Amino acid sequence: MLFLAFVAGLLAFNAYLEKKRREALEQVAVRLGMQFSAQSVEGIPSRLNQSSFELFQRGRGRRYCNWMSKRLIDGTEIALFDYQYTSGSGKNRSTYRMSVFSAYQEDLWLPSFRLHPENAFFHGIAKAFGMKDINFESHPKFSRSYLLRGQDEAQIRIRFHPGVLSFLEDHLNYAVEGSGSHLILWRSNQRVQPEGIENFMRLGEELVRRLSRI
């Protein structure tokens, strides 16, 4: 009985924290002139689902909530949302939660790529798919810090010009996926606090702008 009471108390406390986060994010959305939806649903929005991003294919129980969105002056549609998925089972079961920035720009036309902080796990994924790490001699810090992969290396190198490489060297530990008109940005298993949402949004917008310049 004591254990059950502890679990019930823990669940109630977590629900309270999620409620406070939701309320704070809604206030941020209002301040930034963004639409807000707190609804938590399984899956991901259809447009992002069609992008076939690797992030949205991981694990099970994929859910998103606290959706904030707006259209920029240049027509780019941006959104920020909380996303989670679960992997493993039993004692090895883990739930991963993160804040994701997404952008949709019709004339962005990015080559499909995946960028992750350099580590053994993502090296294993790259090898499994027969993809090599794309490095840049001009930016050794970027090459040491990130694993960049994709089928069309020539086009990826065009998009990852010095302005993009230097920007990412100054903002380490982010993951990025791009394909066609879509781009997403996040930090693995890290949710951005409400007070940091605006900076996170500006960072995503700047990355889109730099990738657009070729």
Side-chain angles (χ1 to χ4, degrees), residues 3-207:
F3 175 73
L4 292 177
F6 171 77
V7 171
L10 185 61
L11 291 174
F13 181 66
N14 286 337
Y16 169 77
L17 292 179
E18 290 301 308
K19 178 176 181 292
K20 298 298 290 184
R21 176 177 175 81
R22 182 171 62 249
E23 291 172 347
L25 289 174
E26 185 170 12
Q27 291 177 1
V28 172
V30 170
R31 179 170 59 82
L32 297 177
M34 305 179 75
Q35 295 182 335
F36 181 82
S37 174
Q39 185 178 13
S40 177
V41 298
E42 293 187 0
I44 56 175
S46 59
R47 180 177 284 177
L48 285 176
N49 194 33
Q50 293 168 6
S51 67
S52 299
F53 286 142
E54 185 264 341
L55 174 63
F56 302 132
Q57 298 175 22
R58 299 178 190 172
R60 63 185 185 280
R62 306 170 191 129
R63 303 174 69 88
Y64 74 94
C65 64
N66 297 328
W67 181 271
M68 307 163 62
S69 62
K70 70 185 297 184
R71 182 187 291 269
L72 304 180
I73 295 176
D74 64 0
T76 303
E77 298 176 24
I78 64 169
L80 297 96
F81 55 96
D82 287 342
Y83 176 69
Q84 72 175 55
Y85 66 91
T86 300
S87 65
S89 60
K91 293 182 179 180
N92 295 320
R93 183 177 184 272
S94 298
T95 297
Y96 299 89
R97 298 178 176 87
M98 63 212 71
S99 299
V100 179
F101 168 91
S102 73
Y104 174 83
Q105 185 184 108
E106 286 189 3
D107 57 356
L108 190 57
W109 298 116
L110 293 171
S112 294
F113 70 86
R114 298 174 183 174
L115 177 78
H116 295 280
E118 190 89 53
N119 62 46
F121 174 74
F122 288 116
H123 263 306
I125 292 177
K127 289 181 179 178
F129 284 90
M131 297 180 183
K132 70 172 185 177
D133 185 7
I134 301 173
N135 293 315
F136 297 82
E137 291 185 3
S138 61
H139 289 73
K141 181 179 178 181
F142 173 89
S143 298
R144 289 194 307 270
S145 303
Y146 283 108
L147 170 64
L148 174 62
R149 62 199 195 277
Q151 295 287 358
D152 194 340
E153 181 176 342
Q155 285 299 314
I156 290 173
R157 287 187 176 277
I158 290 173
R159 289 306 182 105
F160 278 75
H161 53 76
V164 172
L165 298 172
S166 296
F167 179 76
L168 290 168
E169 285 181 339
D170 291 337
H171 300 87
L172 298 177
N173 299 318
Y174 283 94
V176 185
E177 290 192 64
S179 180
S181 301
H182 298 85
L183 178 138
I184 58 174
L185 168 76
W186 75 98
R187 268 186 168 172
S188 182
N189 205 25
Q190 290 190 31
R191 294 204 298 187
V192 178
Q193 293 304 311
E195 58 270 20
I197 286 293
E198 184 172 5
N199 285 338
F200 183 48
M201 182 178 71
R202 302 303 179 205
L203 187 147
E205 291 176 3
E206 179 61 23
L207 180 59

